[in-house]
Amino acid sequence: AMAVREAMALIGLITCVLLQQGFGSPTASSLTATPSASTVTEQSTKGNAAANRKVSEVIKVPGWPDIAAKYPLAYAIKANGMVYASGLTGMAMHNGSMVPGGIEPQTMQTLINIQELLKAAGARMEDVVRCSVSLRNIKMDFAKMNGVYSMFWPKDPPARVAVEVGSLAGEALVEIQCDAALPDQGRKVVHVPGLPDLKGFPLSFATVAGGMVYLSGSQGVNMTTMKPVAGGVGPETTQTLENLKLAIQAAGSSLDLVVGCSVSLRKISDSAAMNKAYEAFWPKDGALGGRLPSRVCVEVSNLAGAGQVEIECTAAVEGLPPAKAPKAIKVPSWPELPFPFSTAVTASGMAYISGNQGIDFHESKLVPGGIGPETTQTMLNIKQAVQASGGDLADVVACEVSLANMEDFVEFNKAYAPFWPKDPPSRITVQVGALLGGAAVEIQCLAALPATADEVLAAEETLDRLAVVV
């Protein structure tokens, strides 16, 4: 009787999941070419707007103001056992004012805000898998930020990347964005044999949760001498990826299971040398069929330490079912892009969309007109990449926005907001040092995908087997 009740409960659970997620894969009509920004009218922008969320949930915090009424973002989105939080600053949420006193009070308030947000989503600080820290002045404030930051993770801190950016919204000296796994996702930190202890730094080399590996930012440091390797950005890129490889393997993954990376350069002029070393490093076969992970690459104002490049990555663990294994995505109507990354990579029900700019792929150049048209074209490109991955804009859970000039923030939001008239994703927006090609904006997104046809079939087969048992 107990076995029958358990089987019936499982049948009900799977049925509910299938009803919630929907069925099928994108139709051919959903992957047709999207009009360029220069031809987009208000009506066609509305036609490209997101519908309702299918497999994700907007998180609201009791007592906090309605952020979506002022800015096109959510405090956090919950999907696939994860919480994707927006970047938060040291603002007192009850009155909307920045706390006084400099970097330490701001860091404290920022992390209190994150703690309260995670609580509203059903997660805790110890569930955080990775944080991204953006500082206005890394030389002056890095140590003080770390002192406060470490208080929130006295044991097993999350993976982390920390950089200096050109500007943050408002009077913020620091902005922190975190992702957390829900308590049932088995979050654990990764210890890497052969690498030194990270005592003194409140971060882990990597964390694992829900079948994914979240790696800290790494630089081209020889882990024996703890100094950057000689020879410039090319050798540093290779060494950086070697360091990441050790952590990836220690976490139960491999290079061909990496789904996305973020590259921060001191000088965007180093991108060609970085790309040459970066492209040569990845396996020519494996899960992605010789294609590379998704990627975003920007110039930052400064890095911690002496490195010229810092890279952080996300990977899938070994042994995922075929339907959840990493897969490189190509948009059918786009030309073959001459860049060392994939347009998108899907894994474990998520789509990791590469950083996009306002490039009209029919003309292979940036659209004219500045931040507004560039933002519109960027979002149209992202929509096509998400659709090719099996979802739509309503499935996007998080975006990272890099602006060349924070003075464009208002105009950017005007162009960005119409794509999410309801329940926008979480977001972080910073001013970087520079973007490739002189772009005004670059946007990278993450989407939680509805069930694919293969996943529906697998679930139906499970139901059939359970029905036989019952």
Side-chain angles (χ1 to χ4, degrees):
M2 179 70 72
V4 170
R5 286 196 296 271
E6 291 176 350
M8 292 301 293
L10 184 55
I11 290 172
L13 176 61
I14 294 174
T15 303
C16 288
V17 170
L18 291 175
L19 289 172
Q20 179 188 30
Q21 291 189 344
F23 297 86
S25 54
T27 63
S29 62
S30 71
L31 303 180
T32 56
T34 302
S36 67
S38 60
T39 65
V40 172
T41 63
E42 180 180 357
Q43 184 61 39
S44 63
T45 301
K46 287 181 179 178
N48 283 292
N52 294 323
R53 293 189 171 277
K54 303 180 187 73
V55 292
S56 56
E57 174 190 351
V58 175
I59 301 302
K60 297 183 179 181
V61 185
W64 285 19
D66 181 6
I67 188 69
K70 188 174 182 181
Y71 300 110
L73 59 93
Y75 287 120
I77 301 290
K78 182 161 63 173
N80 282 357
M82 295 288 294
V83 180
Y84 301 98
S86 283
L88 295 176
T89 64
M91 182 183 294
M93 301 306 290
H94 66 282
N95 62 16
S97 63
M98 192 67 63
V99 296
I103 187 63
E104 290 169 307
Q106 284 196 26
T107 302
M108 177 69 72
Q109 185 63 52
T110 298
L111 291 166
I112 289 172
N113 292 343
I114 291 171
Q115 189 173 41
E116 191 170 351
L117 175 57
L118 293 179
K119 182 179 179 181
R124 309 156 298 179
M125 294 298 272
E126 55 263 41
D127 299 319
V128 174
V129 296
R130 183 167 58 206
C131 291
S132 174
V133 180
S134 300
L135 291 165
R136 290 287 299 274
N137 190 324
I138 205 163
K139 288 184 178 179
M140 181 181 296
D141 293 336
F142 185 67
K144 292 179 181 178
M145 179 277 296
N146 271 337
V148 176
Y149 185 96
S150 63
M151 296 167 58
F152 286 80
W153 287 284
K155 180 183 178 183
D156 294 341
R160 195 184 77 179
V161 62
V163 300
E164 179 181 314
V165 297
S167 184
L168 297 169
E171 304 170 358
L173 299 175
V174 60
E175 184 164 348
I176 304 177
Q177 184 276 325
C178 295
D179 297 331
L182 293 177
D184 63 353
Q185 295 299 301
R187 185 261 202 197
K188 63 180 182 180
V189 302
V190 176
H191 301 281
V192 184
L195 294 189
D197 198 331
L198 286 172
K199 286 182 178 179
F201 292 95
L203 59 93
S204 297
F205 286 115
T207 61
V208 177
M212 301 300 293
V213 183
Y214 304 90
L215 294 123
S216 283
S218 183
Q219 295 184 17
V221 174
N222 181 312
M223 301 307 284
T224 301
T225 65
M226 295 307 293
K227 295 181 180 179
V229 296
V233 73
E236 284 190 34
T237 299
T238 301
Q239 183 64 52
T240 298
L241 292 168
E242 289 286 0
N243 294 342
L244 288 168
K245 180 180 177 181
L246 291 175
I248 290 167
Q249 292 173 335
S253 183
S254 59
L255 283 178
D256 68 319
L257 295 176
V258 174
V259 298
C261 292
S262 178
V263 179
S264 298
L265 291 168
R266 284 186 186 271
K267 297 186 295 183
I268 203 71
S269 58
D270 283 336
S271 60
M274 179 276 297
N275 276 337
K276 184 177 180 180
Y278 182 94
E279 185 172 14
F281 191 83
W282 298 96
K284 300 299 184 285
D285 52 14
L288 299 184
R291 293 186 176 271
L292 275 64
S294 65
R295 198 186 76 179
V296 63
C297 176
V298 302
E299 176 183 303
V300 296
S301 298
N302 204 354
L303 297 169
Q308 302 300 306
V309 60
E310 184 161 343
I311 305 175
E312 58 97 357
C313 297
T314 304
V317 299
E318 296 274 5
L320 289 177
K324 292 182 176 292
K327 178 183 178 183
I329 301 299
K330 184 182 183 300
V331 179
S333 61
W334 289 8
E336 191 69 33
L337 303 179
F339 307 120
F341 54 84
S342 295
T343 298
V345 174
T346 59
S348 288
M350 305 298 292
Y352 298 80
I353 311 298
S354 284
N356 273 265
Q357 298 180 1
I359 295 175
D360 178 353
F361 286 113
H362 300 292
E363 303 290 338
S364 296
K365 62 182 181 180
L366 280 173
V367 296
I371 186 64
E374 284 190 39
T375 300
T376 298
Q377 184 64 53
T378 299
M379 291 306 306
L380 293 173
N381 294 343
I382 288 171
K383 179 178 181 179
Q384 282 197 286
V386 176
Q387 287 179 330
S389 301
D392 212 331
L393 284 182
D395 303 311
V396 173
V397 297
C399 289
E400 177 183 312
V401 179
S402 298
L403 295 174
N405 191 334
M406 190 59 82
E407 291 181 2
D408 287 336
F409 185 69
V410 173
E411 291 301 313
F412 156 74
N413 274 331
K414 286 180 181 178
Y416 179 92
F419 288 89
W420 281 291
K422 180 183 178 182
D423 294 342
S426 65
R427 196 182 80 185
I428 182 170
T429 304
V430 302
Q431 176 183 314
V432 295
L435 296 170
L436 285 166
V441 61
E442 183 160 343
I443 306 175
Q444 178 192 40
C445 292
L446 177 69
L449 302 175
T452 66
D454 287 344
E455 290 168 335
V456 170
L457 179 61
E460 289 174 345
E461 290 174 348
T462 300
L463 288 172
D464 290 341
R465 289 195 298 270
L466 289 171
V468 172
V469 171
V470 174

